Amino acid sequence: MKAFHLVLAMAWPVIAGAQVEAVYTDAEAANKARLLIEEAHALHARVTEICSDPNATGLLYQVAEEVVRKLDDWPDHYRKRQALTSYHACRQSMVDVQTYAYACAQGGFKGGAEKYMQRRWTEDTASCDQAIRASELSQGHGN
């Protein structure tokens, strides 16, 4: 048993270090953000398409759950997340879609709520696009 603990004690730093080493490069982080915002735009368009249909409540909840799955793919480990800090607005855009889908499903997408959610969506997607463009320019991939 002592030998097992000794082997485990010696191997643990190597195993733990291998997991921590998987940090996104700037290009990988920008690509992950780009993919997330593309998915957010597609899901937002889907919600807009079905929001006013009173029979689409189930579909709206499905979109909201799809957003949850996409957000679960966004890293939460601090070292991986650190590379994605510049792209917080991209993640927030996906949260905006989730809020939009739930509001439509519950009939609450009206008046002031509608204006507020549309403003948040516009601001967050613009900030995301700006962060991605800045990354592309800094990496020498600008037009």
Side-chain angles (χ1 to χ4, degrees), residues 39-93:
E39 292 169 336
H41 278 288
L43 291 170
H44 190 272
R46 178 74 175 132
V47 172
T48 299
E49 178 185 315
I50 61 177
C51 183
S52 60
D53 182 353
N55 297 320
T57 302
L59 294 174
L60 290 163
Y61 281 113
Q62 286 176 357
V63 170
E65 290 304 313
E66 178 67 16
V67 169
V68 170
R69 285 189 290 281
K70 299 295 182 188
L71 291 173
D72 282 347
D73 288 341
W74 197 258
D76 59 359
H77 186 275
Y78 78 97
R79 292 212 41 195
K80 280 192 169 191
R81 191 176 59 224
Q82 186 175 16
L84 296 168
T85 301
S86 300
Y87 307 105
H88 174 74
C90 302
R91 184 184 186 286
Q92 188 58 44
S93 295

Side-chain angles (χ1 to χ4, degrees), residues 10-28:
M10 291 173 49
W12 185 254
V14 174
I15 295 168
Q19 292 174 350
V20 172
E21 291 300 319
V23 176
Y24 289 124
T25 65
D26 290 340
E28 290 169 330

Side-chain angles (χ1 to χ4, degrees), residues 21 43 52 60 75 78 92 99 112 119 124 132 136-137 141-142:
E21 291 300 319
L43 291 170
S52 60
L60 290 163
Y78 78 97
Q92 188 58 44
T99 303
R119 187 183 77 215
D124 291 335
I132 291 170
E136 289 171 347
L137 290 174
H141 295 101

